[in-house]
């Protein structure tokens, strides 16, 4: 099975940085929308949960090229993130980590920017405000304590590094305590006996007792939404790095092997792991996320196992480069084709189709992170 070599990864990263450079004029004061339309991102204000990925791509590009045009653009966007959190624009949800880690935590780690530090700490406070004592989890969506939204979602595992970082820089354990509690609740409830994962899990608002798993973006409640499973892979790896909890290694192995065992022959997952063949759309972003998680976990595993997961990550990366990577800016102003934001299904008609067979900003970001991990001794933003 083909694996991506370091040389090919470097070439792909060079190509990605070239496309990003061409985007700087359009996407500095404006951001890319969450997903492309006919493979081209329309501009967006700093709203929704995804704008941090644009800034994160610029930081990765700056680390790779040392071209200060990327740094200048990223720092302008950091100013926008401070304004956003100070004025509380579209921040009534849990995705503070997706927004503020690749943008502002990255900026602080790379440049020491005090603006970035302030913005990211305000975002961490906002995330903590959604912690529910009854049930011990961070509520993903909806008004605080709303019974119809009294649930956590698997994606939130990627929001937790913002809290660990906040404890590190402030010395205040409160942020970390919330992250650890949320992780514990997640691992106890999200992984099914067959090692597939629930996208979301509801709790009783009165007692905090676990109630039931449900999907919002997957094919059906009992299936494994591909991106959710991938958030589980990367989330377990990050949780292990921060907590050292052996349960995270065990769950990493389980959810990762499930993901790998449900890939189609060409190595690019369908949008839900229910499908392993046929015409359903793929979600390339899920593959990039999962591969990053495997590379994150590898140094913590015994040598033979580390080699196996690294080889799998290189295999996923080769499939992405060969079948999804944009090589011509006339085709797309994104980096990674063939993602899915949301898709309705006969069992889950609630999400309208959005960004189906399109680029999405998180797919582009994690594709770049994957190439960066393969070509350098990268210090994670997460
Ligand atoms: N975190 C939202 C998504 O993956 O679509």
């Amino acid at each position: 099975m083909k694996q991506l070599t370091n040389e090919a990864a470097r070439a792909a990263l060079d190509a990605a940085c070239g496309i990003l450079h061409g985007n700087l004029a359009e996407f500095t004061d404006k951001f890319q929308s969450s997903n492309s339309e006919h493979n081209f991102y329309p501009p967006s204000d700093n709203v929704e949960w995804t704008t941090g990925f644009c800034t994160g791509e610029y930081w990765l590009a700056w680390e790779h090229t040392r071209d200060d045009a990327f740094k200048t653009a990223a720092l302008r966007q950091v100013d926008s993130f401070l304004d956003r959190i100070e004025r509380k624009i579209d921040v009534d949800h849990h995705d503070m980590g997706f927004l503020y880690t690749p943008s502002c935590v990255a900026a602080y780690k790379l440049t020491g920017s005090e603006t970035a530090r302030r913005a990211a700490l305000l975002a961490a406070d906002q995330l903590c405000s959604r912690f529910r004592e009854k049930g011990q989890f961070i509520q993903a969506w909806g008004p605080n304590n709303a019974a119809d939204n009294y649930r956590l979602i698997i994606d939130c595992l990627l929001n937790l590094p913002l809290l660990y970082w906040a404890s590190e820089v402030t010395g205040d354990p409160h942020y970390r305590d919330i992250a650890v509690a949320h992780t514990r609740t997640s691992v106890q409830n999200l992984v099914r006996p067959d090692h597939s994962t629930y996208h979301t899990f509801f709790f009783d608002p009165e007692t905090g007792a676990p109630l039931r798993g449900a999907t919002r973006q997957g094919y059906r409640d009992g299936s494994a939404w591909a991106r959710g499973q991938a958030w589980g892979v990367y989330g377990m790896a990050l949780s292990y790095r921060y907590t050292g909890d052996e349960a995270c290694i065990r769950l990493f192995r389980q959810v990762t092997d499930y993901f790998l065992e449900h890939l189609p022959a060409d190595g690019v997952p369908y949008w839900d792991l229910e499908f392993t063949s046929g015409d359903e759309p793929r979600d390339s972003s899920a593959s990039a996320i999962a591969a990053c998680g495997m590379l994150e976990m590898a140094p913590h595993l015994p040598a033979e196992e580390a080699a196996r997961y690294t080889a799998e990550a290189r295999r996923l990366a080769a499939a992405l480069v060969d079948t999804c990577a944009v090589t011509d800016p006339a085709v797309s102003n994104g980096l990674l084709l063939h993602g899915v934001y949301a898709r309705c299904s006969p069992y889950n008609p609630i999400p309208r189709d959005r960004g189906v067979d399109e680029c999405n900003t998180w797919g582009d970001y994690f594709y770049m992170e994957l190439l960066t991990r393969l070509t350098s001794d990268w210090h994670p933003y997460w």
Side-chain angles (χ1 to χ4, degrees), residues 49 94-95 98 153 155 217 225 227 231 341 362:
W49 65 279
H94 71 143
D95 281 326
F98 283 124
I153 74 170
D155 321 29
Q217 282 163 267
W225 175 48
R227 195 157 67 251
W231 294 136
Y341 187 152
W362 59 91

Side-chain angles (χ1 to χ4, degrees), residues 104 114 199 258 372:
C104 295
E114 283 301 319
H199 178 199
Y258 187 95
T372 302

Side-chain angles (χ1 to χ4, degrees), residues 178-348:
I178 285 177
V180 169
H182 180 91
T183 303
R184 191 180 309 120
T185 308
S186 298
V187 302
Q188 284 169 353
N189 294 288
L190 285 174
V191 183
R192 304 187 188 102
D194 69 354
H195 308 156
S196 64
T197 52
Y198 287 115
H199 178 199
T200 86
F201 206 93
F202 281 96
F203 297 82
D204 185 321
E206 301 300 325
T207 66
L211 291 179
R212 68 188 167 87
T215 199
R216 185 148 113 171
Q217 282 163 267
Y219 183 69
R220 59 184 175 89
D221 285 343
S223 70
W225 175 48
R227 195 157 67 251
Q229 192 84 14
W231 294 136
V233 171
Y234 201 170
M236 281 304 102
L238 290 168
S239 297
Y240 180 72
R241 165 146 59 83
Y242 283 107
T243 67
D245 183 349
E246 292 293 321
C248 295
I249 294 195
R250 177 173 47 81
L251 289 164
F252 166 84
R253 290 183 178 115
Q254 294 175 350
V255 298
T256 303
D257 290 349
Y258 187 95
F259 184 90
L260 292 169
E261 285 158 12
H262 289 78
L263 289 175
D266 64 12
V268 180
Y270 288 88
W271 69 282
D272 193 293
L273 300 181
E274 180 100 344
F275 308 105
T276 53
S277 63
D279 296 331
E280 286 288 327
R282 311 303 182 99
D283 184 6
S284 54
S285 74
S287 194
I289 294 160
C292 286
M294 291 177 220
L295 295 178
E296 169 67 35
M297 192 54 140
H300 306 292
L301 297 171
E304 202 173 304
E305 206 179 15
R308 178 166 79 83
Y309 286 118
T310 301
E312 292 289 5
R314 286 188 183 276
R315 182 168 75 94
L316 296 180
L320 290 178
V321 168
D322 285 352
T323 62
C324 302
V326 175
T327 52
D328 178 356
V331 169
S332 173
N333 62 2
L335 304 181
L336 195 68
L337 303 168
H338 309 310
V340 168
Y341 187 152
R343 181 152 171 83
C344 72
S345 86
Y347 303 99
N348 182 21

